[in-house]
Amino acid sequence: MASAKIDELALPVRALVLDDDPTTVAVLTRILSQQQWEVQSAQSIAEARTVLSHFVPEVAIVDVYIGSEDGLAFTAELRKRIPEVGIVVISVEDTETLANKAIGSGADNFLSKPIVPAALLLAAGKLAELRHERQRARQLERELQSTVWERVFPEIVTHSDAMEAVLRLIQKVGPRDLAVLVCGESGTGKELVAQAIHQISPRARHSFVELNCAALPPNLVESELFGHEKGSFTGAVAAKPGKIELAAGGTLFLDEIGELPLDIQPKLLRALQEKRITRVGGTRTIDCDFRLVSATNRDLAAEVKVGRFREDLFYRVAVFPVQLPALRDRMEDLDLLLAHFLKREAGGPTVVTPEARQLLHAYDWPGNVRELLNFAQAISLLSEGGHIDGPAVRAYFGSRFGAMTGGPVAPTSLTRPVRTLKEVEREEILYALRHFHGNVGEAARALGMGRATLYKFMRLEGIEAAELTSAKA
């Protein structure tokens, strides 16, 4: 009967045997190994801890006395370390008091020595089966939850624990009218998260209005945010509502809020506090009930310390922070995301060879999910016969292949003097500006930098966009 139960499991079951007696260890290991279990053993608590550094047991057999050490203390430690592990405590003493003490320490069962093989298999087998049932139930719950998430957040593709934790946060904060700050590196999907928060909020029937604080020259931010009246400045030929006004009743998404000019920050703070604004050049106050969701790739707390961001505004916009993981921290999503992007770009599934997959997993993706999307868009055009292979991946990444494999470039491969990073940066920026004919916004987006940052660089380097308007890349 015990064997039948064990045979139903998804074998092999992983088991740890901890006993200071070599004969007992050998016997117990043989009994479990005959059932095709994967068994690791230890004869001291220190040795058991070493085993646990690379082996996660589903069942543990622990003696009450490990030499002079306390096996029940280790049982409590093991229960805390691996909450779902099944633990059978064994001892030469067969008393009700000791059995109760073992259960109180975290054990699931107690057996007295000498161990009867059938009793051990029955006790350990039931614990392993229970763990597998819990895993199956958890997997089913996860699949059902994923179905819900796919319906509500169709563009957020994941099965990683890190992103599922983010989705749970979104579900909690979405219906609440709190200011949310979405943090994360560039390309991690902050805008998608902001849209998801809006979609499950009571404001979903109203507008979702976006403003990238880094995509505008500093002197235009106030007008874009608060609007302006006719004649309020040169070129203001008509009155224009600002983003806050357009977001009334809905959600305002301020991307890269860390780039918001200091002189505009107190005005935004006042708008958040009073839910009303005054257009540039106007005197009339306009009621604007809006929810703010912001995003940043900066450490705003650090920006506060150096005086680049107001502390009072920081606490207003970061009522509920959500931290997005970088793609390198959720690599289990890489294949899923790539398949999603390839299907969307190529109109159907595309085969990725094992070599190509290995190369893609070796790369650290500094541009995160956005870089993966760019790769999918390009490779779907470059791949032959719907197959993405190793040579295609190498060709796409070119000189970045060294970063993908972690291997250094041999000195003999250099055909020119090494340039400084500043020289390379200037050359790439000039290339982007020429390519987009002086369009600073497009160049900044292509370079992955804020528009205000690019303007600052151009001022420092004496670069005029007008000189590049007719230039060819």
Side-chain angles (χ1 to χ4, degrees), residues 13-19 28 32 37-41 48 51-52 55-63 71 74-75 77-79 82 84-90 106-111 120 123-125 127-128 131:
V13 176
R14 297 182 303 276
L16 169 68
V17 174
L18 172 57
D19 195 303
L28 298 183
L32 297 177
W37 286 30
E38 181 182 351
V39 184
Q40 294 280 326
S41 63
V51 170
L52 291 175
F55 181 77
V56 181
E58 297 170 280
V59 175
I61 317 297
V62 181
D63 195 357
F74 178 75
T75 297
E77 176 187 329
L78 183 61
R79 172 62 64 205
I82 310 174
E84 293 186 358
V85 66
I87 304 175
V88 178
V89 166
I90 59 177
D108 297 287
N109 209 329
F110 177 87
L111 296 177
L120 175 66
L127 292 176
R131 178 180 170 87

Side-chain angles (χ1 to χ4, degrees), residues 13-332:
V13 176
R14 297 182 303 276
L16 169 68
V17 174
L18 172 57
D19 195 303
D20 63 325
D21 177 30
T23 302
T24 301
V25 168
V27 170
L28 298 183
T29 299
R30 185 176 68 253
I31 292 171
L32 297 177
S33 297
Q34 286 173 346
Q35 300 297 322
Q36 307 304 313
W37 286 30
E38 181 182 351
V39 184
Q40 294 280 326
S41 63
Q43 292 179 229
S44 70
I45 290 178
E47 188 180 355
R49 289 178 180 140
T50 300
V51 170
L52 291 175
S53 67
H54 63 270
F55 181 77
V56 181
E58 297 170 280
V59 175
I61 317 297
V62 181
D63 195 357
V64 171
Y65 302 109
I66 316 295
S68 61
E69 298 179 294
D70 185 354
L72 295 186
F74 178 75
T75 297
E77 176 187 329
L78 183 61
R79 172 62 64 205
K80 185 175 182 181
R81 184 168 180 169
I82 310 174
E84 293 186 358
V85 66
I87 304 175
V88 178
V89 166
I90 59 177
S91 176
V92 293
E93 295 182 28
D94 185 10
T95 66
E96 186 176 348
T97 300
L98 184 58
N100 290 335
K101 189 176 180 182
I103 300 301
S105 298
D108 297 287
N109 209 329
F110 177 87
L111 296 177
S112 61
K113 293 181 177 180
I115 301 300
V116 178
L120 175 66
L121 291 176
L122 181 61
K126 283 183 176 180
L127 292 176
E129 183 182 23
L130 178 61
R131 178 180 170 87
H132 279 264
E133 287 177 353
R134 287 172 178 168
Q135 288 175 332
R136 285 192 289 266
R138 189 163 57 250
Q139 180 61 30
L140 178 59
E141 181 182 358
R142 195 171 184 173
E143 290 172 358
L144 291 173
Q145 186 65 68
S146 295
T147 302
V148 173
W149 286 336
E150 286 171 9
R151 187 173 67 250
V152 180
F153 320 125
E155 291 301 314
I156 302 179
V157 178
T158 186
H159 56 200
S160 72
D161 290 339
M163 274 305 295
E164 287 186 357
V166 169
L167 291 174
R168 285 192 290 271
L169 288 177
I170 294 173
Q171 286 184 308
K172 288 180 180 179
V173 76
R176 302 287 300 278
D177 211 26
L178 300 176
V180 180
L181 178 65
V182 186
C183 308
E185 297 177 10
S186 294
T188 49
K190 296 188 289 294
E191 183 178 345
L192 283 179
V193 169
Q195 290 173 343
I197 291 171
H198 173 71
Q199 288 167 9
I200 62 172
S201 75
R203 297 175 178 268
R205 64 184 184 277
H206 297 289
S207 299
F208 177 83
V209 180
E210 308 170 46
L211 177 65
N212 188 325
C213 300
L216 294 168
N219 62 320
L220 293 183
V221 173
E222 183 177 10
S223 173
E224 282 295 314
L225 198 54
F226 300 97
H228 61 259
E229 298 290 356
K230 179 179 179 181
S232 56
F233 54 84
T234 303
V237 296
K240 178 185 175 183
K243 299 294 186 182
I244 293 178
E245 197 172 337
L246 294 173
T251 302
L252 173 67
F253 174 52
L254 291 184
D255 197 5
E256 302 304 344
I257 193 172
E259 300 279 356
L260 194 67
L262 268 172
D263 62 319
I264 304 300
Q265 292 180 23
K267 298 177 182 179
L268 175 60
L269 177 63
R270 191 179 310 116
L272 286 168
Q273 291 171 335
E274 300 177 359
K275 298 298 182 184
R276 60 179 61 185
I277 55 103
T278 301
R279 291 178 179 174
V280 175
T283 57
R284 178 174 59 97
T285 59
I286 303 171
D287 291 333
C288 297
D289 175 28
F290 67 100
R291 179 187 192 173
L292 180 66
V293 178
S294 311
T296 182
N297 59 11
R298 294 187 180 187
D299 182 348
L300 283 193
E303 296 291 293
V304 169
K305 289 181 180 179
V306 297
R308 285 196 290 261
F309 202 84
R310 290 178 61 103
E311 185 175 21
D312 48 4
L313 180 59
F314 171 69
Y315 290 118
R316 275 283 179 175
V317 302
V319 175
F320 193 94
V322 175
Q323 180 69 46
L324 298 191
L327 180 55
R328 62 182 172 275
D329 296 326
R330 47 179 289 213
M331 288 297 282
E332 61 266 48

